Coordinates of all heavy atoms in Angstrom, one line a residue:
Y153 N -7.5 -14.5 95.1 CA -8.7 -14.1 94.6 C -9.8 -15.0 95.0 O -9.6 -16.3 94.9 CB -8.6 -14.1 93.0 CG -9.9 -13.5 92.4 CD1 -10.2 -12.2 92.3 CD2 -10.9 -14.4 91.9 CE1 -11.3 -11.7 91.7 CE2 -12.0 -14.0 91.4 CZ -12.2 -12.6 91.2 OH -13.4 -12.1 90.7
E154 N -11.0 -14.5 95.6 CA -11.9 -15.5 96.1 C -13.3 -14.9 95.9 O -13.5 -13.7 96.1 CB -11.6 -15.6 97.6 CG -12.6 -16.5 98.3 CD -12.0 -16.5 99.8 OE1 -11.1 -17.4 100.1 OE2 -12.6 -15.9 100.7
K155 N -14.3 -15.8 95.7 CA -15.6 -15.3 95.5 C -16.5 -16.3 96.4 O -16.3 -17.5 96.4 CB -16.1 -15.3 94.1 CG -15.5 -14.3 93.2 CD -16.0 -13.0 93.5 CE -15.5 -11.9 92.6 NZ -16.1 -10.6 92.9
V156 N -17.7 -15.7 96.9 CA -18.6 -16.5 97.5 C -19.7 -17.1 96.5 O -20.0 -16.1 95.6 CB -19.3 -15.7 98.6 CG1 -20.5 -16.4 99.2 CG2 -18.3 -15.3 99.7
T157 N -20.1 -18.2 96.7 CA -21.1 -18.7 95.7 C -22.4 -19.2 96.5 O -22.2 -19.6 97.7 CB -20.6 -19.9 94.8 OG1 -21.6 -20.3 94.0 CG2 -20.1 -21.0 95.7
N158 N -23.6 -19.2 95.9 CA -24.7 -19.8 96.6 C -24.8 -21.3 96.4 O -25.7 -21.8 96.9 CB -25.9 -19.1 96.0 CG -26.0 -17.6 96.5 OD1 -25.6 -17.2 97.5 ND2 -26.5 -16.7 95.6
K159 N -24.0 -21.8 95.6 CA -24.0 -23.3 95.2 C -23.5 -24.0 96.5 O -22.8 -23.5 97.4 CB -23.1 -23.6 94.1 CG -23.6 -22.9 92.8 CD -22.7 -23.2 91.6 CE -23.3 -22.6 90.5 NZ -22.4 -22.7 89.3
S160 N -23.9 -25.2 96.6 CA -23.4 -26.2 97.7 C -21.9 -26.5 97.4 O -21.4 -26.2 96.4 CB -24.2 -27.5 97.6 OG -23.8 -28.2 96.6
F161 N -21.3 -27.0 98.4 CA -19.9 -27.4 98.3 C -19.6 -28.2 97.2 O -18.8 -28.0 96.4 CB -19.4 -28.0 99.7 CG -18.1 -28.5 99.7 CD1 -17.0 -27.6 99.8 CD2 -17.7 -29.8 99.7 CE1 -15.7 -28.0 99.9 CE2 -16.4 -30.3 99.7 CZ -15.4 -29.3 99.8
D162 N -20.4 -29.3 97.0 CA -20.2 -30.3 95.9 C -20.6 -29.7 94.6 O -19.8 -29.8 93.5 CB -21.0 -31.6 96.1 CG -20.5 -32.4 97.2 OD1 -19.3 -32.4 97.6 OD2 -21.3 -33.1 97.9
E163 N -21.6 -28.8 94.6 CA -21.9 -28.2 93.3 C -20.8 -27.2 92.9 O -20.5 -27.1 91.6 CB -23.2 -27.4 93.4 CG -24.5 -28.2 93.5 CD -25.7 -27.5 93.9 OE1 -25.6 -26.4 94.5 OE2 -26.8 -27.9 93.5
A164 N -20.2 -26.6 93.8 CA -19.1 -25.6 93.6 C -18.0 -26.3 93.0 O -17.3 -25.8 92.0 CB -18.7 -24.7 94.8
I165 N -17.6 -27.5 93.5 CA -16.5 -28.3 93.0 C -16.8 -28.6 91.5 O -15.9 -28.5 90.7 CB -16.3 -29.4 93.8 CG1 -15.7 -29.0 95.2 CG2 -15.2 -30.3 93.2 CD1 -15.7 -30.1 96.3
R166 N -18.0 -29.1 91.3 CA -18.3 -29.5 89.9 C -18.3 -28.3 89.0 O -17.8 -28.3 87.8 CB -19.7 -30.2 89.8 CG -19.6 -31.6 90.4 CD -21.0 -32.4 90.1 NE -22.2 -31.8 90.7 CZ -22.5 -32.0 91.9 NH1 -21.7 -32.9 92.7 NH2 -23.5 -31.4 92.5
S167 N -18.9 -27.2 89.4 CA -18.9 -26.0 88.7 C -17.5 -25.4 88.3 O -17.3 -25.1 87.1 CB -19.7 -25.0 89.3 OG -19.9 -23.8 88.6
I168 N -16.6 -25.4 89.3 CA -15.2 -24.8 89.0 C -14.5 -25.8 88.1 O -13.7 -25.4 87.2 CB -14.5 -24.4 90.2 CG1 -13.2 -23.7 89.9 CG2 -14.1 -25.6 91.1 CD1 -13.4 -22.4 89.1
T169 N -14.7 -27.0 88.3 CA -14.0 -28.0 87.4 C -14.4 -27.9 86.0 O -13.6 -27.9 85.1 CB -14.3 -29.5 88.0 OG1 -13.7 -29.6 89.3 CG2 -13.6 -30.6 87.1
E170 N -15.7 -27.8 85.8 CA -16.2 -27.5 84.4 C -15.8 -26.3 83.8 O -15.4 -26.2 82.7 CB -17.8 -27.6 84.4 CG -18.4 -27.6 83.1 CD -17.9 -28.7 82.1 OE1 -17.7 -29.9 82.5 OE2 -17.8 -28.4 80.8
S171 N -15.9 -25.2 84.6 CA -15.3 -23.9 84.2 C -13.9 -23.9 83.8 O -13.6 -23.3 82.7 CB -15.7 -22.8 85.2 OG -15.4 -21.5 84.8
L172 N -13.1 -24.5 84.5 CA -11.6 -24.7 84.2 C -11.5 -25.5 82.9 O -10.7 -25.1 82.0 CB -10.9 -25.4 85.4 CG -10.7 -24.5 86.6 CD1 -10.4 -25.5 87.7 CD2 -9.6 -23.5 86.4
K173 N -12.2 -26.5 82.7 CA -12.2 -27.3 81.5 C -12.4 -26.5 80.3 O -11.8 -26.6 79.2 CB -13.2 -28.5 81.6 CG -13.0 -29.5 80.4 CD -14.1 -30.5 80.4 CE -13.8 -31.6 81.4 NZ -14.8 -32.8 81.2
E174 N -13.5 -25.6 80.4 CA -13.8 -24.7 79.4 C -12.7 -23.8 79.0 O -12.6 -23.3 77.8 CB -15.1 -23.9 79.6 CG -16.3 -24.8 79.7 CD -17.5 -24.0 80.2 OE1 -17.4 -22.9 80.5 OE2 -18.5 -24.7 80.4
K175 N -11.8 -23.5 79.9 CA -10.6 -22.6 79.7 C -9.4 -23.5 79.5 O -8.3 -22.9 79.4 CB -10.4 -21.8 81.0 CG -11.6 -20.9 81.4 CD -11.7 -19.7 80.6 CE -12.8 -18.8 81.0 NZ -13.1 -17.7 80.1
K176 N -9.6 -24.7 79.1 CA -8.4 -25.6 78.9 C -7.5 -25.9 80.0 O -6.2 -26.1 79.8 CB -7.6 -25.1 77.6 CG -8.6 -25.0 76.4 CD -7.8 -24.9 75.1 CE -8.6 -24.8 73.9 NZ -10.1 -25.1 73.8
F177 N -8.0 -25.8 81.3 CA -7.3 -26.1 82.5 C -7.9 -27.4 82.9 O -9.1 -27.6 83.0 CB -7.4 -25.0 83.5 CG -6.3 -24.0 83.4 CD1 -6.3 -23.0 82.3 CD2 -5.3 -23.9 84.3 CE1 -5.4 -22.1 82.2 CE2 -4.3 -22.9 84.2 CZ -4.4 -22.0 83.1
G178 N -7.1 -28.4 83.4 CA -7.5 -29.6 83.9 C -7.2 -29.6 85.4 O -6.3 -29.0 85.8
V179 N -8.0 -30.5 86.1 CA -7.7 -30.7 87.6 C -6.7 -32.0 87.5 O -7.1 -33.1 87.2 CB -9.0 -30.9 88.4 CG1 -8.6 -31.4 89.8 CG2 -9.8 -29.7 88.3
L180 N -5.5 -31.8 88.0 CA -4.5 -32.8 88.0 C -4.7 -33.8 89.3 O -4.4 -34.9 89.2 CB -3.1 -32.4 88.0 CG -2.7 -31.4 86.9 CD1 -1.3 -30.9 87.1 CD2 -2.8 -32.2 85.6
W181 N -5.1 -33.1 90.3 CA -5.2 -33.8 91.6 C -6.1 -33.0 92.5 O -6.2 -31.7 92.4 CB -3.8 -33.8 92.2 CG -3.6 -34.4 93.5 CD1 -3.6 -35.7 93.8 CD2 -3.5 -33.9 94.8 NE1 -3.4 -36.0 95.1 CE2 -3.2 -34.7 95.8 CE3 -3.5 -32.4 95.1 CZ2 -3.1 -34.4 97.1 CZ3 -3.3 -32.1 96.5 CH2 -3.1 -33.1 97.4
Q182 N -6.8 -33.7 93.4 CA -7.6 -33.1 94.4 C -7.5 -33.7 95.7 O -7.3 -34.9 95.8 CB -9.0 -32.8 94.0 CG -9.8 -34.1 93.7 CD -11.2 -33.8 93.2 OE1 -11.4 -32.9 92.3 NE2 -12.2 -34.4 93.7
L183 N -7.7 -32.9 96.8 CA -7.4 -33.4 98.2 C -8.6 -32.9 98.9 O -8.8 -31.6 99.1 CB -6.1 -33.0 98.8 CG -6.0 -33.3 100.3 CD1 -5.9 -34.8 100.5 CD2 -4.8 -32.6 100.8
N184 N -9.4 -33.8 99.6 CA -10.5 -33.3 100.5 C -9.8 -33.2 101.9 O -9.6 -34.3 102.5 CB -11.6 -34.3 100.5 CG -12.8 -33.8 101.3 OD1 -12.7 -33.3 102.5 ND2 -14.0 -34.0 100.8
L185 N -9.5 -32.0 102.3 CA -8.8 -31.8 103.5 C -9.5 -32.4 104.8 O -9.0 -32.9 105.6 CB -8.3 -30.3 103.6 CG -7.4 -30.0 104.8 CD1 -6.0 -30.8 104.6 CD2 -7.2 -28.5 104.9
K186 N -10.8 -32.1 104.8 CA -11.6 -32.5 105.9 C -11.6 -34.1 106.0 O -11.3 -34.6 107.1 CB -13.1 -32.1 105.7 CG -14.0 -32.6 106.9 CD -15.5 -32.1 106.6 CE -16.3 -32.4 107.8 NZ -17.6 -31.8 107.7
D187 N -11.7 -34.8 104.9 CA -11.6 -36.3 104.9 C -10.2 -36.8 105.4 O -10.0 -37.7 106.2 CB -11.9 -37.0 103.6 CG -13.4 -36.8 103.3 OD1 -14.2 -36.4 104.2 OD2 -13.7 -37.0 102.1
K188 N -9.2 -36.1 104.9 CA -7.8 -36.5 105.2 C -7.5 -36.2 106.7 O -6.9 -37.1 107.3 CB -6.8 -35.7 104.3 CG -5.4 -36.0 104.5 CD -5.1 -37.5 104.3 CE -5.0 -37.9 103.0 NZ -4.7 -39.4 102.8
M189 N -7.9 -35.2 107.3 CA -7.8 -34.9 108.7 C -8.5 -35.8 109.5 O -8.0 -36.4 110.5 CB -8.3 -33.5 109.0 CG -7.6 -32.3 108.3 SD -6.0 -32.1 108.9 CE -6.1 -30.6 109.8
N190 N -9.7 -36.2 109.0 CA -10.6 -37.3 109.8 C -9.8 -38.6 109.8 O -9.9 -39.3 110.8 CB -11.9 -37.4 109.2 CG -12.8 -36.3 109.6 OD1 -12.6 -35.6 110.6 ND2 -13.9 -36.1 108.7
E191 N -9.1 -39.0 108.7 CA -8.3 -40.2 108.7 C -7.2 -40.2 109.8 O -6.8 -41.3 110.2 CB -7.6 -40.3 107.4 CG -8.5 -40.8 106.1 CD -7.7 -40.8 104.8 OE1 -6.4 -40.8 104.9 OE2 -8.4 -40.7 103.8
H192 N -6.7 -39.0 110.2 CA -5.8 -38.9 111.2 C -6.4 -38.6 112.6 O -5.6 -38.2 113.5 CB -4.8 -37.8 110.8 CG -4.0 -38.2 109.7 ND1 -2.9 -39.0 109.7 CD2 -4.2 -37.9 108.3 CE1 -2.4 -39.2 108.4 NE2 -3.2 -38.5 107.5
G193 N -7.7 -38.8 112.7 CA -8.4 -38.6 114.0 C -8.6 -37.2 114.4 O -8.8 -36.9 115.6
I194 N -8.5 -36.2 113.4 CA -8.7 -34.8 113.7 C -10.2 -34.5 113.1 O -10.3 -34.7 111.9 CB -7.7 -34.0 113.0 CG1 -6.2 -34.3 113.6 CG2 -7.9 -32.4 113.2 CD1 -5.1 -33.7 112.8
D195 N -10.9 -33.9 114.0 CA -12.2 -33.5 113.6 C -12.2 -32.0 113.0 O -12.4 -31.1 113.7 CB -13.2 -33.6 114.7 CG -14.6 -33.2 114.4 OD1 -15.0 -33.4 113.2 OD2 -15.4 -32.8 115.3
F196 N -11.8 -32.0 111.7 CA -11.8 -30.7 111.0 C -13.1 -30.3 110.7 O -13.9 -31.1 110.0 CB -10.8 -30.8 109.8 CG -10.5 -29.5 109.2 CD1 -9.6 -28.6 109.7 CD2 -11.1 -29.1 108.0 CE1 -9.2 -27.4 109.1 CE2 -10.9 -27.9 107.4 CZ -9.9 -27.1 108.0
P197 N -13.7 -29.1 111.1 CA -15.1 -28.8 110.9 C -15.6 -28.4 109.6 O -16.7 -28.5 109.3 CB -15.3 -27.7 112.0 CG -14.0 -27.0 112.0 CD -13.0 -28.1 111.9
N198 N -14.7 -27.9 108.8 CA -15.2 -27.3 107.5 C -14.9 -28.2 106.3 O -13.8 -28.8 106.2 CB -14.5 -26.0 107.3 CG -14.8 -24.9 108.4 OD1 -14.2 -25.1 109.5 ND2 -15.6 -24.1 108.1

Side-chain angles (χ1 to χ4, degrees):
Y153 180 84
E154 179 177 280
K155 289 291 186 177
V156 173
T157 180
N158 292 325
K159 295 179 179 175
S160 72
F161 178 72
D162 290 332
E163 289 171 334
I165 293 167
R166 282 191 297 277
S167 184
I168 190 60
T169 300
E170 184 58 37
S171 185
L172 287 163
K173 183 188 278 187
E174 291 170 6
K175 302 280 184 193
K176 302 199 181 343
F177 272 72
V179 175
L180 302 175
W181 178 80
Q182 63 184 44
L183 171 71
N184 185 316
L185 190 61
K186 181 177 182 172
D187 289 349
K188 184 55 75 177
M189 298 288 256
N190 285 336
E191 286 177 19
H192 295 278
I194 299 168
D195 186 22
F196 191 77
N198 300 76

